Amino acid sequence: MNTYFQQVNRYLTMVAQQENEQINHVAKLIVKRLVQGGIIQLFGSGHSMLLAQECYFRAGGLVPVKPIHIESLMLHQGARQSSQNEKKQSFLASYKDQLQFDDKDVCIIISTSANNPVPIDMAIYAKEAGAHTISLQSLAYQHQPSRHPTGKRLEDIVDDVLNTHVPLGDGVLTVDELQYGPVSTVLGAALLNALFARIIEVLHEQGASLPVFASSNLGNTNNDELIDQYGQRIHF
């Protein structure tokens, strides 16, 4: 087998074994807020923004999912710019009024290193609004110093942590001391989809309605009705 696949399988097994209990715990907390009318908001900068978009408007995925878009933190506006902006202290302050958190919401903040000011500020703002905050991060980085003026890292701020177990430097392969073969997107996407699958299962166990998108390629769906239900807070 290709060595990259071997390493991905090794890490996926590790995440499945070590994070299963936490996934179940977090899923039950999120269900409580969803049944009260809350939504799940996801935020990330750079490549982490790809994961914030992963669960949005997906066949087989939850409907009440909203990625938080800040263009100057996204790759298509300039990769170097997004990286530089994420590290700037107080950068997010000028966007605070654009954020739309409700006290029934959940905010998942995605940052592998979890030490840059922007994701930490997003967690602070979400908590101030009463949202339940969850980080998707790698605790392999937890000894890396924070760049936030408080000296705190993301795991110090949020209510719950989902650990991706991504190794320092992201790559799982080496040649001549060169690290390559990044896994943060693969592991992050798998962990998020496992969490959302568990949320759907818990909703079903409780007899609640299941706000899940069906594939429009397979015939008639009730997707339009679900979009109407959440359309006031989520742009589809």
Side-chain angles (χ1 to χ4, degrees):
M1 183 187 292
N2 181 290
T3 51
Y4 179 76
F5 284 120
Q6 290 177 333
Q7 289 298 313
V8 167
N9 284 332
R10 182 170 75 87
Y11 276 93
L12 284 172
T13 299
M14 181 192 309
V15 172
Q17 292 174 344
Q18 298 188 27
E19 299 306 311
N20 184 62
E21 184 176 339
Q22 181 69 347
I23 289 170
N24 192 52
H25 165 72
V26 170
K28 291 178 179 178
L29 290 173
I30 293 175
V31 165
K32 288 181 181 179
R33 289 181 171 248
L34 291 181
V35 297
Q36 293 173 356
I39 64 173
I40 302 169
Q41 301 200 45
L42 298 99
F43 172 77
S45 301
H47 281 92
S48 293
M49 186 59 207
L50 302 179
L51 289 174
Q53 294 177 313
E54 159 64 21
C55 299
Y56 168 66
F57 199 59
R58 289 299 301 262
L62 285 167
V63 178
V65 172
K66 175 183 178 181
I68 301 172
H69 294 125
I70 297 178
E71 293 286 322
S72 55
L73 293 170
M74 299 172 71
L75 294 174
H76 70 272
Q77 289 290 342
R80 293 178 66 190
Q81 173 185 261
S82 69
S83 179
Q84 292 165 359
N85 287 342
E86 184 184 19
K87 297 178 176 66
K88 291 180 181 177
Q89 295 184 7
S90 302
F91 176 83
L92 200 63
S94 61
Y95 295 90
K96 186 176 181 180
D97 291 342
Q98 299 178 26
L99 304 176
Q100 298 177 337
F101 292 116
D102 184 275
D103 61 8
K104 302 180 187 67
D105 289 350
V106 173
C107 183
I108 300 177
I109 303 100
I110 305 159
S111 173
T112 296
S113 62
N115 66 341
N116 287 318
V118 163
I120 293 171
D121 278 339
M122 183 62 75
I124 291 171
Y125 295 159
K127 287 195 76 169
E128 288 176 348
H132 188 87
T133 54
I134 302 162
S135 66
L136 184 75
Q137 64 177 92
S138 173
L139 291 177
Y141 285 78
Q142 64 185 330
H143 299 299
Q144 299 288 312
S146 172
R147 296 187 174 100
H148 195 269
T150 64
K152 293 184 177 182
R153 290 174 44 84
L154 187 57
E155 66 269 22
D156 301 321
I157 303 294
V158 296
D159 300 302
D160 285 289
V161 173
L162 291 171
N163 183 11
T164 62
H165 296 264
V166 172
L168 286 170
D170 209 337
V172 292
L173 302 172
T174 57
V175 61
D176 296 333
E177 299 184 356
L178 176 68
Q179 189 177 5
Y180 65 104
V183 291
S184 55
T185 302
V186 175
L187 297 178
L191 208 159
L192 279 174
N193 280 295
L195 171 64
F196 284 27
R198 184 59 188 141
I199 290 169
I200 293 167
E201 291 164 357
V202 174
L203 285 168
H204 182 260
E205 290 166 3
Q206 296 182 0
S209 61
L210 302 179
V212 177
F213 279 122
S215 174
S216 59
N217 295 315
L218 299 181
N220 294 328
T221 73
N222 68 334
N223 290 349
D224 288 341
E225 289 84 354
L226 291 168
I227 287 172
D228 288 342
Q229 181 179 347
Y230 292 98
Q232 289 188 344
R233 297 203 59 202
I234 304 172
H235 177 71
F236 291 107

